[in-house]
Amino acid sequence: MLCRVIFGFLLASVVGANANCLSQVVPAQADDSTSRAALSVLEKNCLSCHGAAQMSGLDMRQRSGLLKGGKRGPAIVPGKSEASLLYLSAAHQGELKMPLGSESPLPAADLAVLKTWIEEGAPWPSDIAMTGARPEPTWWSFKKPVRPEVPQPKRSDLVANPIDSFILAKLEEKGLTPAPKADRLTLVRRAYFDLLGLPPSPEEVDRFMNDRSPEAWANLIDTLLASPRYGERWGRRWLDVVRYADTAGFEADLYYPNAWRYRDYVIKSLNDDKPYDRFVQEQIAGDELWPDTLNLQGFLYGVPPQELEHLEARVGTGLYTFGPEVKEDNLDAPKLQYEWLTDAVDTTGSAFMGLTFKCARCHDHKFDPLPEKDYYRLQAVFAGSKPVTIPVVTDLSARKHDEDEFSILALDEARNAYLNFEKQIRDRAVAERAKAYPPEALEAYHLLALYRTQKQAALAVPLEDYARTLKLEEIMTPSEKLTYHTLAENLVKAVAAIPLNDGFDGNVRYDNFYDVPSATVLRDLPIELVPSTYMYSRGDVKTPLEKVTPGLPNALLDDHDPSDLVMSPGGPRFRKQLALWLTKPDHPLTARVMVNRIWEGHFGRGIVATENDFGRQGAAPTHPELLDW
């Protein structure tokens, strides 16, 4: 019920397990037992990072890869376990400690197997090739969710729904008793604050308190979910997750005039009870999944609903158009593009997957199996896109704007006439005042501050102060006052004459006083114009290393997922492939992360306390079965 309350969507779980790649080989011979046991240890503990992901450049799926090693040199020295980095790191002897995030060495039995195997020369049975099925992930959040059975607590009389069963069973396991039920006044206040962020009025409290029907609570919840305030309350939580802002931050704090459309898109999506998978897909690739967006060709009796639905999906991609930006980067196009791609990857990883991808920008992640190369392969997914501004009205409406152009010209003329008259009066008064100062003072006053010398700047100060505090009407003649009031009246009339709507349906208002209504969204570049993506040394855009192609994080893939994303002529673009992969029913992170955000939003603390970090540095779930259910 909890998930339905927020988005009406909980990604389904798939029960299954990857085949163990070592179980597919020919049965072991007796003299191969140590080798096979050692390779089993490697598969269980090492291949999630040093298999297809090749973190630190190390591929442990073949003996040659172990001998070649990675960035730190060879992983094994045959015949010398104490000189082999593989054994030393697994035993936590030295600075490097493996597996990632482990607080203790591998079990003594596993270490003994590795030691013996290396001392014997690290033989590799010819019938074993660890290149088949991907190893089962060892970290809980990287494993596919499997919906558990609902527990049966002893106090079944306290169970109103399956969530109660999980909570009560955990309390009984810990020897704790549940808190007493809340009274009706507390309940109605909780519901209003939780769903609307506002307190109930006295009348609303009385209505619930006096409703003694069995459906009173359910009716209250349905009423609150139907309120427009619901989307505003919960939309704000999502906007915080995706770093929403109307400005770019930093010193210049550039303004994003169309950011509000994404804000309204989020609120509307919640109030429409949009499925969460659709919500994710629209934000990452709404334009690629529904490419006929904005075919708004001036329909006589309105726009077809499907066109508006696809337009809304494209507005969702506004997520990637209002991130932080340093104004000076506009002078360096490659750096500006790099910072945009960095923000796109960081936001996608944090918001949808709850992972600290940004750690892999400068080096392989120190705790999670996220190599630096995977980070830049995700950048390549977004490299073929760019923010653009598009109209959100029909061609007919836009042309109506052109018909009304005369009104903005009239406003400009009225404003100039008013300002020029003020300038004449002020200049006359300043010239009269300047007679009390050296002749150079008036000349300095009329110079732009940028071109004044230090002496001229000092001479201009008295006249500037006088002009700033001057009350014009006090020095006007009666006829000048009449002219001044007439010009002011004309200016007000010109402002009032600006059309309030575009004349198409009487509802669409102009943006920014008189701009055609528009949205800033993502658009794909022609394939031949997509720039190349490179890895950079320590994340420095001035030190490119190897070129990379679009791809997905290896540690989160299964045998059916492509590591490299390929775009055939007429086939899906890269963001579309990313969006569909993220919303697979058995994706290990997408559902867990969102459900946890919902839980945290209702109760103040998530089942996983670190809602943006489901990696090894994050907190473990307090109720893993409940989270997966």
Side-chain angles (χ1 to χ4, degrees):
M1 174 181 177
L2 184 62
C3 305
R4 181 192 63 80
V5 166
I6 307 304
F7 285 115
F9 177 75
L10 178 60
L11 298 180
S13 299
V14 173
V15 180
N18 287 331
N20 186 304
C21 59
L22 292 184
S23 66
Q24 307 301 315
V25 300
V26 178
Q29 302 298 320
D31 55 358
D32 286 339
S33 58
T34 300
S35 299
R36 295 180 183 278
L39 298 187
S40 180
V41 171
L42 297 185
E43 181 189 37
K44 178 182 177 181
N45 297 283
C46 308
L47 291 195
S48 61
C49 294
H50 300 296
Q54 297 186 34
M55 288 190 68
S56 295
L58 176 59
D59 188 345
M60 299 173 64
R61 293 174 294 180
Q62 296 287 345
R63 187 174 188 272
S64 57
L66 288 165
L67 294 173
K68 177 183 177 183
K71 295 178 180 178
R72 293 182 174 87
I76 60 172
V77 179
K80 299 180 180 180
S81 60
E82 297 297 333
S84 297
L85 191 58
L86 169 64
Y87 177 76
L88 295 176
S89 62
H92 286 202
Q93 297 179 14
E95 180 182 353
L96 185 63
K97 296 175 174 58
M98 290 290 168
L100 279 176
S102 59
E103 297 181 357
S104 57
L106 291 184
D110 289 347
L111 288 175
V113 168
L114 290 179
K115 183 179 180 68
T116 302
W117 176 61
I118 296 173
E119 293 291 346
E120 292 179 353
W124 197 288
S126 59
D127 60 339
I128 291 183
M130 293 200 291
T131 57
R134 296 176 182 270
E136 178 69 17
T138 57
W139 187 242
W140 71 270
S141 67
F142 287 15
K143 298 178 181 179
K144 293 182 179 181
V146 177
R147 172 168 270 194
E149 294 293 329
V150 178
Q152 301 298 321
K154 298 174 183 177
R155 291 292 305 277
S156 59
D157 58 304
L158 298 179
V159 174
N161 54 62
I163 292 177
D164 287 345
S165 295
F166 282 98
I167 299 296
L168 192 57
K170 181 64 73 172
L171 290 174
E172 291 177 351
E173 175 188 321
K174 301 295 184 181
L176 302 173
T177 56
K181 288 188 175 182
D183 59 76
R184 290 174 66 84
L185 178 59
T186 301
L187 280 177
V188 67
R189 284 178 56 79
R190 282 180 181 173
Y192 270 84
F193 278 114
D194 215 20
L195 296 181
L196 305 188
L198 299 168
S201 67
E203 295 76 17
E204 290 165 334
V205 171
D206 291 340
R207 188 181 306 120
F208 177 70
M209 296 292 287
N210 295 327
D211 186 354
R212 295 296 173 176
S213 67
E215 295 79 25
W217 177 249
N219 291 339
L220 173 65
I221 297 301
D222 288 340
T223 299
L224 297 181
L225 290 177
S227 169
R229 306 289 83 77
Y230 164 73
E232 295 168 3
R233 157 73 167 160
W234 282 88
R236 181 174 179 177
R237 296 196 62 84
W238 181 256
L239 294 173
D240 286 344
V241 168
V242 296
R243 50 81 177 107
Y244 173 82
D246 291 306
T247 58
F250 303 104
E251 292 84 354
D253 206 22
L254 299 172
Y255 178 55
Y256 294 131
N258 290 324
W260 65 273
R261 288 202 184 275
Y262 175 82
R263 177 201 66 200
D264 287 5
Y265 157 83
V266 171
I267 294 171
K268 182 177 184 298
S269 296
L270 283 158
N271 283 330
D272 289 349
D273 198 24
K274 181 177 292 180
Y276 183 59
D277 57 346
R278 170 84 180 211
F279 186 63
V280 173
Q281 292 168 1
E282 288 180 349
Q283 292 174 85
I284 295 176
D287 57 319
E288 294 181 358
L289 285 158
W290 298 278
D292 59 332
T293 300
L294 289 185
N295 184 24
L296 307 177
Q297 297 297 326
F299 299 95
L300 185 59
Y301 298 107
V303 180
Q306 183 177 354
E307 294 291 336
L308 293 177
E309 181 182 327
H310 292 174
L311 171 60
E312 180 179 314
R314 191 168 188 185
V315 171
T317 65
L319 166 67
Y320 297 101
T321 66
F322 50 73
E325 181 181 323
V326 179
K327 182 180 180 181
E328 290 76 10
D329 286 350
N330 286 276
L331 302 175
D332 188 340
K335 184 178 181 182
L336 182 66
Q337 171 72 356
Y338 175 57
E339 293 298 334
W340 180 80
L341 292 174
T342 296
D343 178 63
V345 173
D346 293 351
T347 301
T348 302
S350 175
F352 300 113
M353 289 182 274
L355 293 176
T356 54
F357 265 94
K358 63 178 64 177
C359 295
R361 176 183 178 183
C362 301
H363 50 72
D364 290 344
H365 202 292
K366 298 300 183 183
F367 302 98
D368 299 326
L370 302 173
E372 187 178 0
K373 187 173 184 178
D374 277 5
Y375 182 90
Y376 288 99
R377 281 154 56 85
L378 274 179
Q379 280 201 357
V381 169
F382 290 91
S385 309
K386 64 177 294 186
V388 296
T389 299
I390 60 171
V392 293
V393 294
T394 64
D395 290 348
L396 183 63
S397 298
R399 291 189 178 279
K400 181 63 170 63
H401 170 272
D402 296 338
E403 294 176 11
D404 292 332
E405 183 70 21
F406 71 89
S407 60
I408 202 70
L409 296 176
L411 171 60
D412 188 55
E413 291 176 357
R415 179 179 57 188
N416 287 337
Y418 178 82
L419 294 177
N420 286 335
F421 186 78
E422 279 192 333
K423 185 176 185 301
Q424 291 174 16
I425 301 299
R426 185 178 294 105
D427 286 351
R428 185 184 70 195
V430 170
E432 184 67 24
R433 183 80 168 186
K435 293 177 180 179
Y437 296 94
E440 296 84 357
L442 185 61
E443 180 182 353
Y445 169 80
H446 285 297
L447 276 176
L448 289 175
L450 178 66
Y451 300 115
R452 293 173 186 163
T453 64
Q454 187 173 3
K455 179 180 179 181
Q456 289 172 326
L459 285 171
V461 168
L463 295 180
E464 286 184 325
D465 290 342
Y466 173 72
R468 185 168 54 253
T469 59
L470 186 62
K471 298 186 183 302
L472 294 181
E473 290 198 57
E474 294 180 0
I475 61 173
M476 289 181 184
T477 66
S479 62
E480 287 174 336
K481 287 183 180 180
L482 180 62
T483 301
Y484 187 58
H485 292 160
T486 301
L487 291 174
E489 184 179 348
N490 291 341
L491 179 57
V492 171
K493 289 180 179 178
V495 171
I498 299 296
L500 292 178
N501 58 63
D502 66 0
F504 173 58
D505 60 8
N507 293 317
V508 180
R509 299 178 65 87
Y510 290 128
D511 289 347
N512 297 325
F513 195 63
Y514 192 65
D515 293 337
V516 174
S518 59
T520 305
V521 299
L522 287 191
R523 183 179 71 189
D524 286 328
L525 296 168
I527 296 178
E528 61 273 14
L529 298 182
V530 175
S532 299
T533 304
Y534 295 88
M535 292 179 60
Y536 296 103
S537 175
R538 306 295 296 178
D540 184 354
V541 72
K542 297 179 180 179
T543 56
L545 301 175
E546 65 175 292
K547 182 178 178 180
V548 298
T549 56
L552 302 172
N554 268 291
L556 298 173
L557 304 181
D558 60 29
D559 292 329
H560 305 292
D561 295 324
S563 177
D564 297 305
L565 298 183
V566 178
M567 184 171 60
S568 57
R573 298 289 292 240
F574 299 130
R575 282 188 289 114
K576 177 178 179 179
Q577 296 180 62
L578 171 62
L580 294 177
W581 172 74
L582 273 173
T583 52
K584 288 174 48 180
D586 60 349
H587 193 283
L589 287 169
T590 310
R592 283 185 175 122
V593 169
M594 190 63 231
V595 169
N596 190 66
R597 295 193 193 284
I598 294 166
W599 192 275
E600 191 276 337
H602 278 287
F603 302 114
R605 181 186 177 94
I607 297 174
V608 178
T610 51
E611 62 174 313
N612 289 321
D613 190 356
F614 273 48
R616 288 188 173 94
Q617 286 295 94
T622 56
H623 295 65
E625 296 83 6
L626 172 59
L627 179 62
D628 280 6
W629 183 86

